[in-house]
Amino acid sequence: MAFTPQQAILELGPAFYDPVTAARFPETILRFRNDRAAAEIGLHDLGDEQWIAHFGRFEPLPGTLDQPLALRYHGHQFRVYNPEIGDGRGFLFAQMTDDRGRLMDLGTKGSGQTPYSRFGDGRLTLKGGVREILATEMLEALGVETSRTFSLIETGEALERGDEPSPTRSAVLVRLNHGHIRIGTFQRLAYGQDVENLARLTDYVLRHYFGEEPGDDAPQRLLGHVAARTARMAGQFMAAGFVHGVLNSDNINVTGESFDYGPWRFAPNWAPGFTAAYFDQSGLYAFGRQPEAIYWDLMQLASSLRLIAEEAPLIEAMEIFPEIFQRTVAEAMLWRLGVVPRGPEHDRPLIGAIERALVETETPIDLFYFHGFGGTLPERFGAPFAELRAQLAHYAPRKPRDHPYWSDAAPCAMLIDEVEEIWARIAQGDDWAPLNGKVAAIRRMGEALA
């Protein structure tokens, strides 16, 4: 595919962003480039020096934005409204069309200070970048709609951080996203009672991300789309056993594509109270509370749109969330289990049986899916799985277990001990082989599941 630059964000006007300049880094050492993602937007033929020029020094890509833009937004952070935020260590670098005809963004993390940095240095730790690679690769392989880590370049600065050994190494990350418009983008406009720009943003999102022309019912149509997409994201998280960690309203993309990975974890077993962030002491964003958290954020979008729409149609637009969430959980879990769905009346009881068995036995989530792929559970899964085994007997496999992955001794997983070991090998010996090997293993698993 040829590179097809876009500048759609400029339609919104300067009330939505601030032009900024990228930081100058002492070094630009290329550590990761995602050629698979780059092929989808026509940039896979860039040489390494060109890659570093664009994604380490941020020389503009031809035909797209002349200068990076720090996007403006507000948001609820752990249910406390914060009007002091925005792109504080990142910016929108470029827009383009992908091979599916979608408007895509290249955005940064760790690219320097902006008007919204407050007291931060605008930088990203190399460890944070490595963790984002692992999160996005694993989620993509498990069928979750996610941003992709596009590039990671080490930048040669020593960073001080209070939550990890310091000084620590620095990096700048570029992610490929289906848009960077957040629920918090709408909240900021509602906070300022900016009705004109709230309507402009609504029309922009409908046109560019949902392929619809605006009209008098634009706010409720937009909310319906976001409700469906975020419900789907919540269901995919549960099927993947994934805990995002910080589901604040400024971290919810209106396209329903998960992004911005900080203290994420994959749950080792089906434990609804499992949390990812050490600072989430109340368990607000625990594994089992993620659908509730995402729905709460959706309500903040509805509240913002109340400035330009009547309440009743907005309430109606949100009512689709529970049904789509339940359907997505079933479809995503059965996809990962390698069987063909039979319909809600059959699938929901099966999902209930899976959850009960996993909770009762504390069986590792990845192990269950690995051995049960195709719908036949080995005898090692004993009496607590009897109900589940009986129900699975009525399900047809969606593909055979003929990929070499299914002959491995253990499933490809992504638990915190392995994440820390991968980073330790980099930190202590600059050994990138474990990271590269893990990315290859994750992609191999993705091939087996696809």
Side-chain angles (χ1 to χ4, degrees):
M1 173 181 173
F3 179 63
T4 309
Q6 301 290 342
Q7 299 178 329
I9 193 71
L10 300 180
E11 295 175 17
L12 289 174
F16 288 84
Y17 46 73
D18 295 87
V20 293
T21 302
R24 293 182 178 271
F25 301 114
E27 297 179 322
T28 48
I29 305 169
L30 181 57
R31 295 301 191 184
F32 177 79
R33 56 177 286 170
N34 192 337
D35 284 317
R36 184 167 67 176
E40 297 175 12
I41 57 172
L43 292 177
H44 55 295
D45 288 333
L46 290 177
D48 283 353
E49 287 305 314
Q50 292 174 294
W51 189 281
I52 290 169
H54 291 306
F55 308 124
R57 296 191 293 274
F58 296 100
E59 297 175 7
L61 286 164
T64 182
L65 303 179
D66 294 331
Q67 187 171 2
L69 303 175
L71 302 183
R72 301 175 181 178
Y73 50 86
H74 291 178
H76 278 88
Q77 300 185 305
F78 285 83
R79 303 280 167 92
V80 177
Y81 193 76
N82 189 349
E84 305 269 328
I85 55 178
D87 277 342
R89 59 171 174 168
F91 49 61
L92 176 60
F93 173 60
Q95 291 186 300
M96 68 291 300
T97 305
D98 73 359
D99 57 4
R100 294 161 58 184
R102 301 183 303 166
L103 178 65
M104 303 296 289
D105 291 354
L106 286 174
T108 65
K109 191 174 183 178
S111 50
Q113 293 178 313
T114 77
Y116 309 102
S117 299
R118 292 177 286 171
F119 301 107
D121 60 12
R123 272 36 176 197
L124 171 70
T125 66
L126 183 61
K127 181 179 182 180
V130 168
R131 284 174 50 84
E132 187 139 342
I133 292 170
L134 292 171
T136 55
E137 289 286 333
M138 192 69 176
L139 289 171
E140 182 182 1
L142 293 177
V144 177
E145 292 290 335
T146 177
S147 65
R148 261 85 59 78
T149 304
F150 192 79
S151 172
L152 184 68
I153 291 175
E154 188 169 358
T155 55
E157 295 177 310
L159 303 181
E160 295 292 332
R161 292 292 185 267
D163 57 353
E164 63 178 278
S166 296
T168 188
R169 293 156 72 175
S170 60
V172 62
L173 179 144
V174 177
R175 62 167 68 102
L176 181 65
N177 261 73
H178 186 34
H180 275 86
I181 304 299
R182 311 155 190 254
I183 287 177
T185 314
F186 287 84
Q187 288 182 279
R188 172 183 164 271
L189 297 170
Y191 181 86
Q193 299 286 301
D194 190 347
V195 172
E196 181 180 350
N197 276 323
L198 192 61
R200 178 176 288 114
L201 180 62
T202 299
D203 293 351
Y204 173 88
V205 172
L206 267 181
R207 184 178 294 113
H208 288 292
Y209 296 112
F210 298 109
E212 294 181 5
E213 287 303 312
D216 292 340
D217 62 346
Q220 53 263 43
R221 280 193 287 127
L222 170 68
L223 186 61
H225 285 304
V226 180
R229 295 286 186 90
T230 54
R232 189 164 177 261
M233 179 178 72
Q236 290 175 339
F237 279 0
M238 300 306 291
F242 180 71
V243 188
H244 183 282
V246 189
L247 291 172
N248 296 331
S249 61
D250 57 295
N251 281 341
I252 304 296
N253 190 334
V254 295
T255 64
E257 184 182 76
S258 175
F259 79 113
D260 200 14
Y261 301 101
W264 62 269
R265 297 274 186 97
F266 282 89
N269 48 51
W270 200 276
F274 180 83
T275 57
Y278 70 88
F279 46 82
D280 187 7
Q281 297 178 355
S282 68
L284 180 64
Y285 297 144
F287 176 51
R289 295 185 67 184
Q290 291 182 117
E292 168 202 336
I294 293 169
Y295 187 77
W296 192 92
D297 290 329
L298 182 67
M299 287 194 294
Q300 309 319 303
L301 176 59
S303 178
S304 300
L305 292 172
R306 182 65 184 83
L307 283 179
I308 57 173
E310 296 297 322
E311 182 176 346
L314 294 176
I315 292 173
E316 182 180 356
M318 291 182 61
E319 289 176 347
I320 64 174
F321 186 98
E323 191 278 327
I324 292 178
F325 166 71
Q326 292 290 347
R327 186 175 72 221
T328 301
V329 169
E331 291 174 350
M333 290 180 73
L334 296 181
W335 175 84
R336 193 173 176 190
L337 196 53
V339 296
V340 179
R342 298 176 63 208
E345 70 278 10
H346 300 288
D347 297 343
R348 285 178 182 170
L350 176 64
I351 298 308
I354 291 173
E355 292 182 7
R356 287 190 295 274
L358 290 178
V359 169
E360 179 181 346
T361 63
E362 297 185 349
T363 298
I365 294 172
D366 301 296
L367 193 71
F368 166 74
Y369 284 122
F370 179 73
H371 287 292
F373 188 86
T376 304
L377 285 173
E379 288 305 314
R380 62 180 292 175
F381 293 88
F385 289 87
E387 175 192 0
L388 172 56
R389 184 178 283 106
Q391 292 190 47
L392 275 174
H394 300 288
Y395 281 78
R398 67 173 176 84
K399 64 181 299 187
R401 293 176 63 99
D402 56 359
H403 191 282
Y405 171 72
W406 303 115
S407 299
D408 290 356
C412 178
M414 183 54 67
L415 302 182
I416 190 61
D417 288 347
E418 185 176 8
V419 175
E420 292 295 333
E421 176 59 26
I422 288 170
W423 168 247
R425 294 280 292 274
I426 294 170
Q428 296 166 11
D430 209 32
D431 182 1
W432 291 81
L435 174 66
N436 295 330
K438 189 64 181 181
V439 170
I442 292 169
R443 292 184 176 186
R444 178 172 172 268
M445 177 188 69
E447 293 171 0
L449 286 168

